[in-house]
Structures are given as structure tokens and as C-alpha cells.
Amino acid sequence: MNECPCGSKQSLAACCGPIIDGQPASTPEALIRSRYSAFVLGKLDHVERTHAPEIRDDFNRAEAERVARECTWRSLDVRRVEETGDEAKIEFAIRFRRDNQDMIQAEVAHFRRENGEWLYVQGDLNPKTTQRNVLKVGRNDPCPCGSGKKAKKCCGVVVTE
Amino acid sequence: MTAREGFDHAGRFPLAMLWVPMRQGNRDYAMVQQLGAQVQIDKKNEMYVIVSAVSFIPPDMPCPALRENGLCSIHETKPRRCKTMPFTPYREERFQSELLKPRETWLCDISASAPIVYQDRQLLDRTDFDAERAGLLDEVPQMRRYVEYMLKYNPDIRNNLVKSSLSPKAGEVVTSLSSFLTATRQTNKAQIARQQIEVLQQYLEHTAGKSAYKTHHDYYTRSLAEMQFLASRPD
């Protein structure tokens, strides 16, 4: 199986693949995941196409193409999704390696739904977010993703490289 | 130099954008306010930054337009910056005298019999000086748009500018030609990119394997990749 780069553990064809190929993303999270996957796969037409019209011409595609190739993309971590009507806010972090350095970049991205399609409007890099109380999920607790498995057997699985 | 001049010489110079920040209290602040863009440091403090196009080559390397006989090969069409140096458009005319103190690297006539260019706090021939200022003033709205664009999409630049404004040793802030072409909606990107590719390839060779040239070499590498993309895409 060709696993989707976004980390969903699904196949690319069942996850970001069709969205990158032009199908509208059903949720803002699906859009941010597919945009990340598009960077990993170097398919930046999708990134450019899903920018809101007011920032589309601001996109430095040449730079994005270079960066997409220069970086080794490690992972996407979607931390929080707030959807209200036709607007949404997603907090996420990406990990990548560049110039022999491991980097992590956090962003709060804003989205808008136009004619049924979610678009990326704006991103605040490395934002100062309000502190949150995080519930610790024990290894043997049910996985918060709702799979019904224990966390240690599901999303909480520890991968040692 | 102005962006216009940079583009005119895109087949000659490896182009980049140079940011020079200046803080309140500097004698040239008033002039820089006219030609630069305001950047907020924090709630109370601001600085001004001059952004111009530059031929981004290591300081100890000769200008690519320099002939072997020591003369400029493009004298008639060279950028105004070259014509008016050592005077600077970012300083009032009456304060320009100290810029005339000869520097070690100057090869021109600095003897007592050299022609007089500045007297009684005035330039004797202000044609080029005025023309350079006019050219820069013309581009102020465009440069301000560019500064706004960079602050929006590359917010880290603010910290780099603050560092650089506090200590000249912190280094220059240099940004990419591609970002300027994008931010200012240049319509002839592909053509400029094609001209830059050749220049950048030459400078990659000139700076290969020398650690002193690493900053420049890395810039050429990045810019070449970006220009190759722009050249492949119709405007």
C-alpha cells in the first residue's frame, strides 16, 4: 500500500490523493492534510489552487518548489481544528529536515469555504497560542481517535527508528 | 540600485534584495524616512528600512562589468549607484563631505589635482545625484509593498532587521529576487529568470568550494533553482 504522507495511516488513494488531483476537500482538515502531502509529493499545483483568491498571486511558487525539494518531510501533526460555518482555524505543526537540521514549524492556519470548497486564507507562523490543559492518554487507555483499540496499539504507538 | 536598473542588467549581475535598517537618532533618519519603509519593532518603537536591488557578489570580487584596463565596460548605461558613489542618496547633500575621504580600495585620482566635485557643502554637478534620488523615490511605493509582503509571509525578517540595526556585525539582511518578483507582480519574470540563470551559474563556479564565499554560494544555489522554475513557466 502506498501510505499517505499526511500520516493518516490510510492509503494515498483513500486519503489525500484524490484531493491533490482536484477533488474538493470535504473538511478543512482534509485540505491541510492534502496540502502537506502535496508538498511531500512535490505536487504544488494543488497548493496554489487551494489558496484564497486574495493571496493567490502572493504565492512564491518558485520558492515553494525549491523548498519542497530541499526538505525531507517528517510529519504533520494537526493539533486543533475549530470549524464555524464557512470559516475554520487549524493549529498544526510540521516536522522536516533541512540543511542537516531537524526543524519544527507551528502554524495557525485560517480557512474559508467558497462555493462548497475549502480554501487556505492565511497562516500565522509560530503563533503564541493560549496554554491548554492536555489530558494525558495512558498507554492502555482507549485511543482518542475512536478506533476502539488501546492507545499503545493505535495512534500512541511508539516508533523507534 | 533601483529594481528597474537591476532588471536592465539582469544578464550581468546576480540580483538580490538588500535591506538596510536604520533607527531613530541616526543623522540620516529623515532622508531614509522618505526613501524607505517603516517597520514596527514593538508597540512603541519603529525603524526605517531601505530596500534596494543589489548585485550580490562577494566584496573582494571585481564587478563583472569591469574591464581588464580598469574601466567600466558599461559606462554609458551603468546603474546610477555606480555613477554617484561615493555620495549616497540616503544622506543630505550638506553632510556628504566625509564620504569623499579616500578609501584604500579606490583606484581613482585622489591627488590635489583631481577634479573638484564637492564644494561649500554642495555637489558641483548634481545631475546624477538628483537622477538617482528621483529613481529611488519613484520606486518607494513598490518597495513599501514589498516590505509589507515580506513582513506578512516571512515574519522572521523583523527579528533579523532588529539584530542588524543594533549591530552592523550582525550582517546584512538579504532576500531573494523571486520574492520581489512575486510581491511586486512583475510581468516579465520568465525573461528576467532566463537572464539570471546564466549569471548565477557563472557565480556558482566562481564561488565553489571557498568557505569565505559560502553565503553567496548558497544564495546562488537557491536563486538558480527558483529562476529555473520561473524560466520554465510562461508569465
Side-chain angles (χ1 to χ4, degrees):
Chain A
M1 181 181 82
N2 196 355
E3 206 172 272
C4 190
C6 82
S8 64
K9 298 205 162 59
Q10 290 177 289
S11 72
L12 179 61
C15 188
C16 296
I19 303 173
I20 291 171
D21 292 338
Q23 237 177 59
S26 55
T27 63
E29 180 172 348
L31 178 60
I32 198 73
R33 286 184 170 279
S34 66
R35 283 171 57 98
Y36 171 79
S37 295
F39 258 95
V40 179
L41 301 168
K43 293 187 169 178
L44 298 191
D45 278 347
H46 173 59
V47 176
E48 188 159 19
R49 186 166 44 78
T50 52
H51 275 136
E54 67 269 25
I55 62 160
R56 207 161 283 161
D57 289 340
D58 279 351
F59 183 49
N60 186 349
R61 174 82 182 257
E63 182 187 62
E65 291 277 347
R66 173 178 63 75
V67 171
R69 265 178 286 137
E70 248 171 37
C71 296
T72 310
W73 302 96
R74 296 279 200 235
S75 66
L76 165 73
D77 177 17
V78 176
R79 293 174 172 171
R80 182 157 60 165
V81 181
E82 277 175 42
E83 197 180 322
T84 36
D86 285 338
E87 285 181 17
K89 205 162 86 173
I90 296 186
E91 191 184 325
F92 66 96
I94 48 174
R95 287 169 198 273
F96 55 97
R97 192 170 173 80
R98 183 179 183 178
D99 299 331
N100 294 320
Q101 253 191 321
D102 286 316
M103 316 274 273
I104 179 161
Q105 182 180 291
E107 180 176 338
V108 172
H110 298 258
F111 300 85
R112 192 173 66 225
R113 185 159 44 192
E114 251 178 44
N115 306 321
E117 192 171 351
W118 285 100
L119 299 170
Y120 177 89
V121 180
Q122 187 211 325
D124 304 320
L125 297 182
N126 301 317
K128 291 190 185 93
T129 44
T130 50
Q131 198 174 359
R132 280 164 292 150
N133 295 318
V134 183
L135 274 181
K136 200 172 173 199
V137 180
R139 280 170 44 77
N140 290 313
D141 293 342
C143 189
C145 80
S147 64
K149 293 182 196 164
K150 286 182 176 183
K152 67 179 178 187
K153 295 278 187 197
C154 188
C155 304
V157 69
V158 179
V159 183
T160 44
E161 282 185 40
Chain B
M1 64 186 139
T2 60
R4 176 79 267 137
E5 290 173 306
F7 297 157
D8 287 346
H9 294 283
R12 182 168 287 119
F13 301 133
L15 297 172
M17 305 306 293
L18 178 70
W19 300 53
V20 181
M22 188 173 288
R23 292 219 180 191
Q24 223 153 7
N26 192 301
R27 184 182 48 182
D28 298 331
Y29 199 67
M31 290 292 268
V32 167
Q33 276 179 313
Q34 291 173 28
L35 290 171
Q38 192 181 354
V39 175
Q40 212 64 33
I41 300 171
D42 49 42
K43 272 183 191 155
K44 282 185 187 160
N45 297 293
E46 66 194 25
M47 60 185 161
Y48 269 81
V49 57
I50 295 284
V51 183
S52 59
V54 286
S55 167
F56 189 58
I57 58 177
D60 62 344
M61 268 194 188
C63 173
L66 188 67
R67 273 208 214 106
E68 275 177 21
N69 62 6
L71 295 177
C72 175
S73 61
I74 53 165
H75 183 68
E76 295 309 318
T77 56
K78 68 184 178 186
R80 294 242 158 73
R81 189 77 293 271
C82 312
K83 288 185 183 168
T84 54
M85 69 76 64
F87 298 120
T88 165
Y90 306 115
R91 177 168 294 180
E92 283 183 50
E93 185 179 10
R94 61 201 166 105
F95 295 136
Q96 301 266 345
S97 66
E98 63 207 60
L99 297 165
L100 282 166
K101 275 185 206 141
R103 295 177 219 170
E104 267 178 35
T105 47
W106 286 4
L107 299 172
C108 58
D109 183 4
I110 51 167
S111 69
S113 59
I116 295 171
V117 292
Y118 186 80
Q119 205 165 34
D120 300 329
R121 300 185 160 210
Q122 280 184 332
L123 286 123
L124 294 192
D125 180 355
R126 4 176 354 120
T127 320
D128 291 331
F129 184 78
D130 287 343
E132 183 182 19
R133 250 189 90 74
L136 292 168
L137 275 169
D138 259 2
E139 291 195 350
V140 165
Q142 178 179 256
M143 284 301 170
R144 288 186 178 162
R145 271 203 305 282
Y146 178 53
V147 169
E148 207 176 303
Y149 171 93
M150 291 303 283
L151 288 170
K152 179 175 176 189
Y153 292 104
N154 298 61
D156 283 352
I157 200 166
R158 194 188 308 269
N159 290 332
N160 295 339
L161 288 169
V162 170
K163 266 187 230 158
S164 169
S165 75
L166 292 173
S167 148
K169 280 186 196 152
E172 299 166 332
V173 177
V174 172
T175 54
S176 68
L177 176 62
S178 77
S179 64
F180 184 79
L181 295 174
T182 307
T184 55
R185 314 279 192 265
Q186 298 295 324
T187 49
N188 52 347
K189 291 200 271 292
Q191 188 206 329
I192 293 169
R194 277 192 293 276
Q195 291 178 285
Q196 280 285 284
I197 287 172
E198 233 173 278
V199 178
L200 290 164
Q201 281 166 340
Q202 284 167 17
Y203 273 90
L204 272 172
E205 267 177 50
H206 297 333
T207 53
K210 291 171 196 150
S211 61
Y213 295 154
K214 188 174 184 307
T215 310
H216 288 82
H217 192 80
D218 290 351
Y219 176 79
Y220 303 146
T221 308
R222 293 194 300 269
S223 199
L224 179 61
E226 295 171 358
M227 293 303 128
Q228 281 166 337
F229 177 80
L230 289 176
S232 73
R233 230 190 183 198
D235 277 324

